[in-house]
């Protein structure tokens, strides 16, 4: 008896031009195009196994070992249904193909980072779901075609079907068939883009992206200006900057767009605040680091960006990442030693951190341990990967394997 299954992993992406607002909430069609950097799966990833079997009586999904309900008409159900539809097309063309589209599936997924930490788990999660089903079903679909389905799981997930630098073209058709992700440049084009994720403590539950963005669409006049006049120009400018490996322009646009996204959140009625004092202090530190460079005749050296929460992501070329880690550690002492995946600091570690020459230390006050509860150093990465059979997350009985 053949076992029909596939395991894939998919990356997280963090936008430089933010998606914020839907023109169709069911199909998840955005009010503006967006652009992101895919982060390295060696550090952050969702891994998903999908198996089709005649003995399964219904579609089931486990996330980090806990079964999630697949609600009728919900996002998970929609993605699974759309993938089965593509499988049926393959079966209709070739009658020798096993009728996997008629079997129920068991899907088991794990995120190697905390799902609740606001690290875009829905993006890597739905990208891994769609790519594992695509591998299971041996679909001839391109990443852009798969992005149409991942988009219906979570908008930002469509961008995780590619590595490197990725645009989500908003499209204009009512059925959404032109609202898809395209690769602007692969990882290999600009591999020196590194990222430091500052995981900021956040006790209270914030406003979800899904509900927050709809409130913004309904109430913010600034969003209309952003959609019509700002994003189209920025999309073109940032694509040009990426193709030219022009970090100065890339950084300027990324910071401006993060700022405007948080401005439209504030322009929402009632207002939405995603950043906190820690987030704002990190902005002050990156701004000061850039000021020192520019005043010495240099260019912008780092760019901050924030999604729908207080965590900072700082993009910087590889050559500056040591400076950035040192500055952040100086102002935000860490409870645990900095995990140094690229071996920046050698055996002695980052210590108490420090600032570059000419840096005005008074731009922010030092915080106490725990204000930034963790630092993750990563870089631009590749798109979804198909993993070996041995990586399966499902046991012989079709249920999640017990992890040690
Ligand atoms: N590996 C996964 N496989 C399938 N679905 C997942 C996976 N990881 C996360 N999800 C889905 O995404 C949901 C979490 O998404 P949510 O949008 O609340 O958080 P986030 O992605 O961390 O934040 P944001 O989208 O605002 O950046 C989970 O409840 C689950 O439904
Ligand atoms: C601020 C953002 O991270 C918003 C992401 O929103 P989601 O993709 O999580 O929203 P839904 O489509 O409702 O699932 C910006 C971005 O990633 O572009």
């Amino acid at each position: 008896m053949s076992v029909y299954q596939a395991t894939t992993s998919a990356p997280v992406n963090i936008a430089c031009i933010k998606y914020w607002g839907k023109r169709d909430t069911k199909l998840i069609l955005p009010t503006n195009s967006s652009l992101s950097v895919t982060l390295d799966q060696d550090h952050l990833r969702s891994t998903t196994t999908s198996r089709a079997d005649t003995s399964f009586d219904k579609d089931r999904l486990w996330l980090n070992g806990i079964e999630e309900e697949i609600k009728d008409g919900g996002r998970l159900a929609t993605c699974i249904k759309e993938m089965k539809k593509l499988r049926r097309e393959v079966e209709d063309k070739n009658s020798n193909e096993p009728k996997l589209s008629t079997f129920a599936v068991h899907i088991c997924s794990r995120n190697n980072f905390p799902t609740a930490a606001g690290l875009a788990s829905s993006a890597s999660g739905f990208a891994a779901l769609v790519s594992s089903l695509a591998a299971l079903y041996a679909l001839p679909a391109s990443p852009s075609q798969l992005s149409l389905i991942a988009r219906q799981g979570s908008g930002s997930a469509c961008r995780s079907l590619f590595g490197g630098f990725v645009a989500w073209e908003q499209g204009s058709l009512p059925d959404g068939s032109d609202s898809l992700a395209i690769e602007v440049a692969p990882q290999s084009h600009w591999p020196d883009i590194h990222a430091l994720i500052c995981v900021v403590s956040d006790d209270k539950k914030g406003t979800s992206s899904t509900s927050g963005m709809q409130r913004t669409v309904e109430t913010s006049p600034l969003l209309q200006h952003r959609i019509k006049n700002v994003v189209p120009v920025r999309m073109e400018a940032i694509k040009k900057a990426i193709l030219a490996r022009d970090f100065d322009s890339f950084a300027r646009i990324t910071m401006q767009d993060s700022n405007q996204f948080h401005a439209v959140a504030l322009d929402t009625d009632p207002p939405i605040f995603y950043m906190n004092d820690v987030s704002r202090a990190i902005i002050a530190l990156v701004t000061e680091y850039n000021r020192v460079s520019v005043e010495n005749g240099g260019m912008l050296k780092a760019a901050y960006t924030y999604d729908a929460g207080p965590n900072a992501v700082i993009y910087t070329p590889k050559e500056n990442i040591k400076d950035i880690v040192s500055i952040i550690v100086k102002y935000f002492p860490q409870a645990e030693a900095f995990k140094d995946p690229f071996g920046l600091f050698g055996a002695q570690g980052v210590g108490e951190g420090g600032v570059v020459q000419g840096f005005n230390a008074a731009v922010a006050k030092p915080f106490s341990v725990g204000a930034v509860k963790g630092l993750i150093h990563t870089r631009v990465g590749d798109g979804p990967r198909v993993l070996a059979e041995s990586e399966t997350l499902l046991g012989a009985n079709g249920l999640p394997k017990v992890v040690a």
Side-chain angles (χ1 to χ4, degrees):
M1 256 287 285
S2 318
V3 176
Y4 298 109
Q5 68 172 1
T7 303
T8 59
S9 63
V12 164
N13 73 77
I14 299 291
C16 298
I17 304 292
K18 304 292 186 192
Y19 147 54
W20 196 252
K22 295 182 183 73
R23 62 179 200 273
D24 183 318
T25 52
K26 180 72 183 87
L27 286 171
I28 310 197
L29 301 177
T31 48
N32 62 257
S33 295
S34 55
L35 184 142
S36 55
V37 177
T38 295
L39 302 183
D40 194 336
Q41 284 164 85
D42 287 349
H43 309 126
L44 299 173
R45 65 180 166 275
S46 296
T47 305
T48 302
T49 298
S50 295
R51 184 183 299 172
D53 197 294
T54 45
S55 72
F56 297 160
D57 55 4
K58 60 169 185 164
D59 296 337
R60 294 174 72 181
L61 180 139
W62 292 264
L63 175 52
N64 297 323
I66 296 169
E67 184 159 12
E68 295 244 322
E69 192 193 347
I70 303 180
K71 291 196 193 81
D72 274 351
R75 292 169 171 206
L76 285 168
T78 302
C79 288
I80 296 168
K81 188 179 97 205
E82 291 295 317
M83 294 302 289
K84 286 186 176 175
K85 214 195 261 175
L86 292 182
R87 171 66 192 179
R88 208 166 311 124
E89 288 174 15
V90 169
E91 293 162 7
D92 289 346
K93 280 197 194 114
N94 181 351
S95 57
N96 293 327
E97 287 286 344
K99 302 281 177 280
L100 302 187
S101 68
T102 64
F103 303 178
V105 284
H106 280 189
I107 300 168
C108 184
S109 188
R110 295 202 161 270
N111 300 330
N112 78 337
F113 55 92
T115 300
L119 290 178
S121 65
S122 62
S124 56
F126 279 100
L129 175 88
V130 165
S131 53
S132 77
L133 286 168
L136 167 69
Y137 292 155
L139 298 181
S142 67
S144 285
Q145 283 169 309
L146 296 179
S147 79
L148 292 166
I149 297 175
R151 188 200 75 220
Q152 297 175 63
S154 179
S156 54
C158 75
R159 298 185 309 241
S160 279
L161 267 307
F162 286 99
F165 303 82
V166 188
W168 173 9
E169 303 286 357
Q170 65 180 103
S172 57
L173 298 173
D175 70 354
S177 56
D178 58 351
S179 185
L180 43 70
I182 58 163
E183 181 189 88
V184 172
Q187 169 199 29
S188 57
H189 168 74
W190 206 4
D192 281 355
I193 294 298
H194 280 230
L196 184 72
I197 304 172
C198 309
V199 181
V200 175
S201 300
D202 182 20
D203 299 333
K204 55 187 184 319
K205 187 90 192 80
T207 309
S208 77
S209 301
T210 306
S211 65
M213 70 172 78
Q214 260 352 79
R215 243 162 67 197
T216 305
V217 168
E218 283 155 20
T219 62
S220 166
L222 181 57
L223 182 72
Q224 298 310 316
H225 169 67
R226 166 172 171 75
I227 293 168
K228 286 191 197 77
N229 307 314
V230 181
V231 173
V233 180
R234 282 191 187 152
M235 281 296 289
E236 289 319 303
I238 200 163
K239 284 181 193 169
K240 218 170 115 192
I242 291 164
L243 293 175
R245 298 188 195 89
D246 169 1
F247 187 79
D248 187 76
S249 302
F250 173 85
R252 194 177 308 279
I253 298 165
T254 296
M255 292 188 283
Q256 284 172 337
D257 207 69
S258 174
N259 294 343
Q260 190 176 69
F261 155 49
H262 291 276
V264 300
L266 186 62
D267 193 45
T268 301
D269 184 15
I272 309 171
F273 304 92
Y274 285 123
M275 293 193 290
N276 63 18
D277 284 351
V278 172
S279 317
R280 285 184 286 271
I282 294 173
I283 292 183
L285 296 172
V286 172
T287 303
E288 177 61 10
Y289 179 63
N290 282 330
R291 184 198 63 77
V292 172
S293 172
V294 171
E295 285 198 359
N296 287 304
M299 309 269 217
L300 298 182
K301 286 172 125 181
Y304 57 78
T305 187
Y306 296 81
D307 281 348
N311 294 341
V313 176
I314 304 173
Y315 287 124
T316 188
K318 186 166 105 190
E319 69 212 46
N320 306 327
I321 190 82
K322 220 173 148 177
D323 288 349
I324 290 293
V325 173
S326 301
I327 292 170
I328 297 296
V329 167
K330 180 171 167 60
Y331 283 85
F332 301 99
Q334 297 294 294
E336 286 171 29
F338 170 62
K339 285 196 191 70
D340 191 2
F342 295 88
L344 297 175
F345 294 97
Q348 74 276 30
V350 54
E352 291 184 353
V355 295
V356 294
Q357 212 188 348
F359 192 99
N360 174 7
V363 293
K365 68 171 177 60
F367 282 70
S368 42
V369 174
V372 169
K373 63 183 176 192
L375 295 172
I376 302 169
H377 175 193
T378 184
R379 62 176 164 196
V380 59
D382 59 350
R385 300 174 186 166
V386 178
L387 305 182
E389 254 324 273
S390 56
E391 302 286 322
T392 181
L393 301 178
L394 286 168
N397 59 358
L399 298 175
K401 276 184 173 173
V402 180
V403 281

